[in-house]
Amino acid sequence: MAVTDEAIEKIKGMIVSGALRPGDRLPKESELAAVLGLSRNSLREAVRALSLIRVLDVRQGDGTYVTSLDPQLLLEALSFVVDFHRDDTVLEFLAVRRILEPAATAMAATRISERQLDTLAGRLDRLGDAPSVEELVASDLEFHRGIVNSAGNSVLCSLLDGLSGPTTRARIWRGLTQEDAVGRTLYEHRAILAALRDRDAEAARSWATVHIASVEQWLRSTL
């Protein structure tokens, strides 16, 4: 194991064991290196790596702290990794969305408030029947984010938010090239919204699956 990896594992062990808790300040570099049996250089590299993935927070002139370790904060690193996806992996991202998003939509059916439903409906109404592809895709992202947020699971919300980026270009491409893609998307959005209004979790799940699968099916046919 590389010395930096070893240092990372040792700091991780302190956090997992509870020796370091969210918000705690780490001991001085020289003290922590001695306790962990590490060189100061490898410790410094480990701290730098853990700060990049939001486990540690390095405050200039104040010290290094364990972050809140909130799932949403930690999953920000997922978005960073996802940004490096290749075009040939978009189908894989869509497949993961097809697993997770219908489940989140079904969860939302019993949790989403009437006020939230009215907000979603208002956005669809303002969009009209013939939005531009760019307007539709932006609305699509907000529509699904609003539903997933109301599902009450911050981890699921963060995961789906991080996965949405790679599929955005595919959705724009579909809107520009597939006949009636805009109309079909609007229809499916209203069907999902109606199922949520009815508090019908299974119908909401089914329509969300159809909605994502239609993009996936189109993309498979074009590759």
Side-chain angles (χ1 to χ4, degrees), residues 21-32:
R21 304 183 63 81
D24 281 357
R25 181 177 178 174
L26 269 64
K28 291 180 179 180
E29 185 182 272
S30 57
E31 296 174 7
L32 186 58

Side-chain angles (χ1 to χ4, degrees), residues 59-80:
R59 304 176 190 174
Q60 200 66 34
D62 187 25
T64 300
Y65 292 79
V66 180
T67 67
S68 65
L69 302 180
D70 181 85
Q72 288 179 291
L73 179 68
L74 297 179
L75 285 168
E76 284 181 9
L78 174 65
S79 297
F80 180 79

Side-chain angles (χ1 to χ4, degrees), residues 19 26 32 70 84 86 157 162 173 202 204 206 208 212 220:
L26 269 64
L32 186 58
D70 181 85
F84 290 96
R86 303 186 313 273
C157 182
W173 184 17
E202 288 312 307
S206 296
I212 299 167
R220 286 186 188 281

Side-chain angles (χ1 to χ4, degrees), residues 87-88 90-91 173 218-223:
D87 286 347
D88 60 355
V90 173
L91 277 170
W173 184 17
W218 167 81
L219 187 57
R220 286 186 188 281
S221 71
T222 62
L223 293 178

Side-chain angles (χ1 to χ4, degrees), residues 1-45:
M1 182 182 295
V3 289
T4 301
D5 292 337
E6 181 185 1
I8 289 171
E9 284 300 315
K10 287 186 175 182
I11 296 173
K12 174 185 169 184
M14 292 181 71
I15 294 171
V16 171
S17 69
L20 286 173
R21 304 183 63 81
D24 281 357
R25 181 177 178 174
L26 269 64
K28 291 180 179 180
E29 185 182 272
S30 57
E31 296 174 7
L32 186 58
V35 168
L36 297 179
L38 300 167
S39 71
R40 294 177 66 171
N41 188 55
S42 61
L43 177 61
R44 200 172 296 127
E45 290 298 320

Side-chain angles (χ1 to χ4, degrees), residues 106-182:
M107 289 167 62
T110 59
R111 294 174 170 86
I112 194 167
S113 69
E114 289 296 325
R115 184 175 181 178
Q116 288 171 311
L117 288 168
D118 289 342
T119 297
L120 291 174
R123 288 175 183 165
L124 285 179
D125 290 341
R126 288 192 296 275
L127 197 61
D129 295 327
S132 69
V133 172
E134 290 77 8
E135 288 172 335
L136 180 66
V137 171
S139 173
D140 184 70
L141 291 169
E142 286 303 313
F143 180 79
H144 293 290
R145 185 178 289 120
I147 292 171
V148 173
N149 274 332
S150 65
N153 187 310
S154 61
V155 175
L156 187 55
C157 182
S158 296
L159 280 171
L160 284 168
D161 211 34
L163 291 169
S164 66
T167 63
T168 299
R169 185 161 60 177
R171 280 178 277 182
I172 292 175
W173 184 17
R174 179 198 183 204
L176 291 171
T177 59
Q178 186 182 35
E179 186 179 354
D180 199 34
V182 172

